[in-house]
Each structure stands twice: as C-alpha cells, then as structure tokens.
Amino acid sequence: MKHTAVRRTLAAATTFILAGGALAACASPGSDEGSTDGKSIVYAVQSFSHEAIQPIVDAFTKETGIKVELESGPATGSDLLTQLVPAFNSGTTPYDVIDADDPAGAALVAGGWLEPLSDEVTSAYLDDLTPGMAEGHETWNVKDGKTYRLYHNWDVGYAWANEELLAANGLAAPTSWDDMRTVGAALKDKGIYAFGDAASKPGLTFVYLAYLTAQAGGDLYAADAGTRQAFEFAKELIDDGYFPKEALTWTYDQSNAAYMEGSLATMRQWPFFEGVAQSNTAWYSPEKAVIVDPPKGPSAAKTWAGGWGMAIPKASKNKEAAAKFVEYMNSPEVAVQLAEATSFFGSARQSVLDAMGDEGIIASLKHYAESDLISPRPFHPQAAKAESIIDDIGQTYLIGQIDIDEAMDRIKKQIADLG
C-alpha cells in the first residue's frame, strides 16, 4: 500500500551529544521557579507552535481558570538539558510543563527530575494509543511502572519512492532487501542509486543504521545477529554501488537534493520531505514523492519513530495545575484539535488517525501504524552517548577501516562501558 503525501509536517530528526561539564556550567533561562500562585503555569514548547496552539490553550484557561504562559522551548534535546539541568540540580525550574524529545526525556527521568503522572492524567491517553505508539510510550516514557512523559508528536522515517523514475525503467518500488539489490543492479549503469539516506555524523549514521536494524529484527545496542545483518547489508549496498558512499557525509538537504535530481530511486526520510518536495514546483508531481512500505529485511518491514512529549518537572511549584493541563492537552478530543492546528502535534493516536487519516501524511501514518510497520527508537538510558557510539563505529565500518567482527565487538564493549 502507498500514500502520496499532501500535508506538510515537521520532522524531529536531530540527535544530541551531551557533555556533562558543559551542563553544569550553563545557566537556566527565565525565572528560577516559574509561577507559584497555583492559578497560572508556564509551558515551554518550541515557539513555531505557539500561534497554532494558543486558541486551544485559551480554551483550557476558560474551562479551568488556570492561565498558561507559553515560553519558547529549546529546539533540540541537548539544548533542553543544557538549559534545565543546572536549575533542576538546584531544586528549581523556570517552567511548570516542558516539552522533551526521547533522549532528553530519558535523561531527565534517569536524573530523577520529572514528576510521575497519575492514572487520572494518563488513562485516556493510554487508551488512545495505537500498538506501535504504545510500545514507544512504554519504551521511552515509563520507568519502574511510572509514567513521566506523554507523547504529543510521533515522527516516522518513511520510505519514499520516485515511482515515475522507477516505472520509466520498468521497475517498481522495492518491497524487500532482495528487491533493493534487484533495483540497484538494474539502475547502476544509468548512474542511479536504488536507495539513499543522509548518513553523516553526528547523529544521522545512527538514524540510518537503526532503520536497517529494525528491518533485521536486531537490538542495536546489543550488537546481536540482527545488528550484524543490518551493518553488513548497509556496507553491501555501498560496495555494490546501490547506495552512494558520499551519503556518509550527507545532511538531509543533500539527500533531498540527490533524490529530486534523480540520483536516488528511493529514500528514507522524515515527514518534512513532503513540504520540501511540493515546494520544488519545477520538479514535483505526486508520482515522484510516494510513501511506500519500508522494505522487508530478514525479520520484517519496519521503520522507527520517536517524538516529543509533555512532562512536569519535579521542582514545579504548581504540579496540580500542571497535571490538569497535561491531562487536558492529551485528551483524545484535544489531541485531534492540536493535530489539526499543527503537524508538530500529529501522532499515531487512534483519535487522530480516525479524524484525519483519509489523506496526506496522516493517511500514511495510519497505514504504517495499522500495518505494524513502526518500531520505537532504540532505547538506552544514556541515549545521546549510545547513539554517538553507533555513529562512530558505524562510520568506521562502512568506510572499510574495520571488519564486521571488530565493529560488533566495539559496540558491545563501549555500550557496556556506559553502565
């Protein structure tokens, strides 16, 4: 099944390299303790979303009498930690509700800096999750049976296919790793790669290898048999000329450009490519940017997803009001309103898929969710450091400086050293 994307959405494909010393040296933004009157709270969320969600926030205030001040939240998880950890360490917070991505959320939970959310806050949200998103929630938002964060955003790495280019060469979008080999062999002499992705450091090598490892059924940080298969397949594609070696230095802008220039027949990319493709009016037609199922590897046809979610700092002086806000904003009815207002609040919740799943990116998300094509982001409590390890070892292996046995041994040792 395929879906041509017609709705712009925002990707969250950044990664986060953290330096412990730098965290302690940086000051936190805003006031030291946020609001303390119990009738007003401060919510830190990325500023581009403020205008879109303000009417919904105002409706909450009208219903509850609790005023909500929107503050500009950091755009990356690493920036979030840099700003907030010093305040949290001192027992204060400038915000009553924060927005955190997966790695930052895990770090904050591990640090003991987030307030557990009650069943009253989480019950309607949990009942509304599709299976793949529920697995992601359990992986990233729950520790020791307690929930600390609720996803409002769920970004998926989609498989994109230029079906016009493929059809012109008598081919179809690959549905398996074997198909990728077949398409690669057919297009190689024409100077077209079967598949591409931005796989540079920092961060994007991890993103790409996590994608293939999901298809091989591996546990990336365990360097197990599936991880080995994924690494070996990634190198095979490069060595056989089916994946551009220069993609190991590409950003997403470069992979997008290669795809739109006709150098890539297929590509893994986040939802934001829909907007990029449509804005290139001289090139775009629906058949050139089609979302198809991810290819099936040795285990399954899979991709991975992750997102941003709402959490309450333990240092908040307004936990009761903050909890009411988190409950309200994550109720099924309001989740639909938020998703309609901005793609940054789009997710694989059943309410959202039911209301918006007939067209565009949400239709693709619905298909991916209902077809069990989505795995959670690979989890490690020190995610930023763990992802950096995959970056470094993956790059070293893919450029041929070490063999597969050495790559797997290094992953096991360095991940174990994280504790």
Side-chain angles (χ1 to χ4, degrees):
M1 185 174 181
K2 62 192 179 184
H3 299 278
T4 303
V6 298
R7 188 189 307 273
R8 183 163 189 151
T9 191
L10 180 80
T14 51
T15 56
F16 315 105
I17 310 301
L18 304 182
L23 291 179
C26 295
S28 61
S31 64
D32 287 338
E33 298 185 4
S35 172
T36 58
D37 60 11
K39 290 296 183 180
S40 62
I41 59 172
V42 180
Y43 173 36
V45 62
Q46 292 183 53
S47 58
F48 65 80
S49 68
H50 288 191
E51 182 177 357
I53 71 172
Q54 187 66 62
I56 299 166
V57 172
D58 291 343
F60 167 77
T61 298
K62 184 176 181 180
E63 180 175 316
T64 64
I66 300 170
K67 182 180 178 181
V68 180
E69 179 182 352
L70 298 180
E71 289 284 346
S72 180
T76 70
S78 59
D79 286 345
L80 178 77
L81 293 173
T82 297
Q83 291 185 8
L84 292 183
V85 166
F88 290 173
N89 268 330
S90 67
T92 65
T93 176
Y95 312 125
D96 298 296
V97 180
I98 61 170
D99 226 34
D101 73 335
D102 290 335
L108 294 174
V109 170
W113 292 310
L114 297 182
E115 182 74 9
L117 303 174
S118 69
D119 291 343
E120 183 179 4
V121 172
T122 63
S123 60
Y125 162 90
L126 293 174
D127 290 342
D128 198 34
L129 298 182
T130 52
M133 194 172 175
E135 183 182 2
H137 168 80
E138 286 291 327
T139 300
W140 285 96
N141 300 337
V142 178
K143 181 181 179 182
D144 299 331
K146 296 179 180 179
T147 295
Y148 292 89
R149 184 175 67 126
L150 302 185
Y151 278 125
H152 67 68
N153 158 266
W154 188 242
D155 276 317
V156 174
Y158 289 109
W160 299 81
N162 187 333
E163 292 198 332
E164 181 179 287
L165 181 154
L166 288 163
N169 289 279
L171 300 166
T175 61
S176 67
W177 285 10
D178 283 341
D179 286 350
M180 290 175 70
R181 297 180 176 104
T182 300
V183 171
L187 295 177
K188 181 177 179 179
D189 290 342
K190 300 181 181 182
I192 302 171
Y193 296 98
F195 175 62
D197 196 355
S200 61
K201 297 194 305 182
L204 303 188
T205 310
F206 157 79
V207 170
Y208 172 50
L209 291 173
Y211 176 72
L212 294 182
T213 302
Q215 294 167 12
D219 178 350
L220 185 59
Y221 298 134
D224 57 8
T227 308
R228 175 184 285 263
Q229 287 178 305
F231 274 57
E232 289 179 325
F233 182 61
K235 192 168 190 304
E236 175 192 333
L237 291 177
I238 293 173
D239 292 346
D240 290 348
Y242 304 159
F243 181 100
K245 188 172 184 178
E246 58 268 29
L248 298 177
T249 64
W250 280 358
T251 65
Y252 286 134
D253 286 344
Q254 290 170 298
S255 60
N256 291 343
Y259 183 89
M260 293 186 290
E261 288 165 0
S263 298
L264 306 178
T266 68
M267 174 176 68
R268 188 218 63 87
Q269 187 54 286
W270 302 102
F272 78 94
F273 180 66
E274 181 270 337
V276 173
Q278 289 192 2
S279 67
N280 187 352
T281 55
W283 169 83
Y284 178 75
S285 66
E287 294 77 19
K288 292 180 177 179
V290 180
I291 293 177
V292 297
D293 288 1
K296 182 178 180 180
S299 176
K302 287 284 187 179
T303 186
W304 65 268
W308 289 72
M310 301 173 70
I312 300 173
K314 185 170 287 185
S316 169
K317 305 299 184 183
N318 299 300
K319 294 176 187 175
E320 183 177 348
K324 290 180 180 178
F325 179 70
V326 172
E327 179 184 0
Y328 179 91
M329 295 292 278
N330 288 279
S331 66
E333 298 81 6
V334 175
V336 173
Q337 297 173 32
L338 288 164
E340 290 173 339
T342 170
S343 56
F344 186 52
F345 280 77
S347 66
R349 294 181 56 163
Q350 196 59 59
S351 58
V352 174
L353 300 185
D354 288 346
M356 303 173 62
D358 292 335
E359 60 177 338
I361 283 288
I362 300 298
S364 297
L365 178 58
K366 181 177 182 179
H367 168 65
Y368 267 48
E370 292 181 348
S371 301
D372 193 25
L373 301 177
I374 306 172
S375 295
R377 184 188 194 116
F379 176 80
H380 192 279
Q382 298 187 61
K385 293 179 180 179
E387 291 174 12
S388 182
I389 289 170
I390 300 300
D391 269 348
D392 291 340
I393 297 172
Q395 281 267 334
T396 304
Y397 168 70
L398 292 175
I399 63 177
Q401 291 186 348
I402 59 175
D403 64 19
I404 189 64
D405 290 333
E406 178 68 14
M408 296 299 104
D409 287 345
R410 288 190 185 185
I411 290 173
K412 290 177 183 177
K413 181 181 185 304
Q414 292 185 32
I415 293 296
D417 287 346
L418 287 180

